[in-house]
Amino acid sequence: MSDYASRRTAMVDTQVRPSDVTKFPIISAMLSVPRESFVPLDLRDAAYMGENIDLGEGRVVLEPRTLAKMLDALDIQRGALVLDVGCGLGYSSAVLAEMSEAVIAVEEDPQLASEAQSVLNELNIDNVYVHEGPLAAGAVEHGPYDVILVQGGVENVPEILTDQLKLGGRIACLFMDGNLGDVRIGLKTETGVTWRSVFNAGAPVLAGFTRDHAFQL
């Protein structure tokens, strides 16, 4: 077993399983996807630590626990079409690809988008398409989606994104209020999206997902 493979196993055994994530598809995906391939080269030694990994410009790879618990709460089925918003270098998309039919990965940074597609191609992950464009706009032309994940903090979720969910579809977002974060799962119904809180986490707020702050004297 390579050093990275042993670290991957340790990540699952010490960060994922103890967080009450036990569904086989999640465990299998996180054991098989080489997280070290989806982080900056100089941060590979930190790839399996229990913290967000900095990609610069306020972007991160979410810590393993956060991603795993989001996946657990979303209950993704094998035939699902998934929208992965803010894929960064593609780790979350690669994990989702193991669990679903296809993944549309949205990335607005041209360099991140290019590198993500390159790594996914190198690993022969052929059911992920990297869509370059504004994160908050999603990828309406490829939807509607069974599941949407947002890979970073939000203060507000634009309707243009939730409109891309199928009826009965689910969305996972990490709502930030200052330094406090609350992951919520939204269910698309005929009257809109209803949200429920599932656990606490933290990440920088993504561009396009900030709340309009009223001017105060």
Side-chain angles (χ1 to χ4, degrees):
M1 182 180 289
S2 71
D3 182 50
Y4 283 127
S6 62
R7 293 186 194 187
R8 199 172 308 131
T9 300
M11 174 192 76
V12 169
D13 288 345
T14 63
Q15 299 175 49
V16 177
R17 294 183 197 272
S19 298
D20 294 325
V21 177
T22 58
K23 291 175 182 171
F24 176 77
I26 302 172
I27 298 298
S28 177
M30 298 191 81
L31 283 172
S32 63
V33 174
R35 186 173 164 91
E36 73 276 4
S37 297
F38 296 95
V39 303
L41 190 60
D42 60 343
L43 294 177
R44 282 193 166 190
D45 282 345
Y48 293 99
M49 296 180 67
E51 58 188 35
N52 296 334
I53 296 177
D54 185 21
L55 295 175
E57 303 297 325
R59 299 293 301 284
V60 299
V61 181
L62 291 176
E63 64 172 325
R65 169 190 173 273
T66 300
L67 178 62
K69 288 180 72 67
M70 288 174 113
L71 297 174
D72 185 66
L74 284 167
D75 193 25
I76 299 168
Q77 302 301 306
R78 192 70 186 94
L81 175 61
V82 181
L83 182 67
D84 189 28
V85 178
C87 71
L89 290 170
Y91 175 70
S92 54
S93 301
V95 172
L96 286 162
E98 294 277 329
M99 303 172 58
S100 62
E101 181 71 22
V103 180
I104 305 299
V106 181
E107 182 47 63
E108 65 185 13
D109 183 293
Q111 183 173 349
L112 289 177
S114 176
E115 291 183 27
Q117 191 67 73
S118 294
V119 176
L120 291 163
N121 290 344
E122 288 171 8
L123 294 173
N124 297 313
I125 300 172
D126 59 6
N127 61 334
V128 177
Y129 171 73
V130 179
H131 171 93
E132 186 179 325
L135 303 185
V140 65
E141 60 268 46
H142 301 291
Y145 302 96
D146 299 289
V147 173
I148 298 175
L149 277 81
V150 180
Q151 303 292 333
V154 308
E155 293 176 337
N156 176 66
V157 182
E159 281 190 18
I160 191 174
L161 194 60
T162 55
D163 284 348
Q164 294 171 44
L165 270 178
K166 294 178 182 178
L167 193 64
R170 287 93 61 212
I171 179 171
C173 294
L174 171 49
F175 285 84
M176 296 299 297
D177 184 5
N179 292 324
L180 301 175
D182 177 31
V183 172
R184 302 174 196 168
I185 303 298
L187 175 67
K188 180 71 170 287
T189 69
E190 292 181 352
T191 58
V193 177
T194 57
W195 297 90
R196 63 182 176 89
S197 297
V198 286
F199 66 97
N200 298 120
V205 176
L206 296 170
F209 291 87
T210 55
R211 182 172 52 242
D212 290 331
H213 297 280
F215 177 75
Q216 294 180 337
L217 293 176

